Amino acid sequence: NIKEPFSFVYTYYSRSQGITQDTNSFKRKVNMAKCMERILGLVLIISVCLSLAGSYSCEFTDRAGFWNGQSENSKECYGWPKVWSVPGSIKASRAFAILTTLSGVFLLFKGFFLLVIPRITAGATGKCFSALLFVQVLFEGLKFLGLDDLVGKSIGGGGGCQIAAVVLFFIALVMSCGLKDDDNDGDDGERGVEEPLLPEDEEA
């Protein structure tokens, strides 16, 4: 039958086109996921830097920070006198500053790996990672407990950095929840791309 060769070519071409479209769609999804994870990594790095600035700046208010302060006539930082009785709210803010610093070290490395090698860092968007970001946002906000006991009349540069850190960590939390952790699916998809495009044998 003279139509059989043409039927075979048509079947092969149709299946090849379908696989090619699936492959292109998969590649677009992977590239989009890589782009989003790079953005997430950049947001994490900036957030940690802002958090550190807010925690240890001597300008959380316009005149003082949680660990040190400024004199009225100069911008030079000095440590709080040992004889000064530290209020409980400021002690709480210091505790949360230490906790966010410890978790921030991990998030800093996580952000760096997401920025440099996305899709290779396993669990980048897992539930545990999102839970850690939720706790981070909560602790970053709780640093403001000692604000009323600090000397000063308004929020300073360090306080502004702290507000920005809270906002960016929240954005990172939303992004981590929105991204799908499909590293295993990506591996399967890449293996599928490498398989030869051969049609199934048909009976004559």
Side-chain angles (χ1 to χ4, degrees), residues 56-147:
Y56 303 103
S57 171
C58 59
E59 291 184 348
F60 198 90
T61 65
D62 56 352
R63 285 188 53 196
F66 298 125
W67 307 89
N68 42 36
Q70 294 177 340
S71 62
E72 296 182 3
N73 300 324
S74 68
K75 292 295 184 179
E76 183 179 357
C77 293
Y78 60 89
W80 292 116
K82 294 182 179 180
V83 296
W84 181 58
S85 179
V86 182
S89 60
I90 293 182
K91 289 181 179 179
S93 296
R94 289 179 175 180
F96 286 119
I98 294 174
L99 290 174
T100 55
T101 299
L102 295 176
S103 58
V105 172
F106 170 78
L107 293 174
L108 187 65
F109 281 102
K110 192 75 169 180
F112 174 78
F113 284 117
L114 286 174
L115 184 63
V116 177
I117 47 174
R119 311 301 298 162
I120 297 178
T121 307
T125 57
K127 294 180 180 179
C128 293
F129 182 61
S130 298
L132 174 60
L133 284 176
F134 176 80
V135 174
Q136 187 77 10
V137 172
L138 181 63
F139 285 0
E140 294 288 349
L142 288 174
K143 290 181 189 178
F144 288 93
L145 287 174
L147 181 61

Side-chain angles (χ1 to χ4, degrees), residues 2 12 17 23 42 45 57 63 109 121 134-135 149 158 171:
I2 193 171
Y12 180 84
Q17 286 295 105
T23 301
L42 183 61
I45 293 173
S57 171
R63 285 188 53 196
F109 281 102
T121 307
F134 176 80
V135 174
D149 291 322
I171 293 174

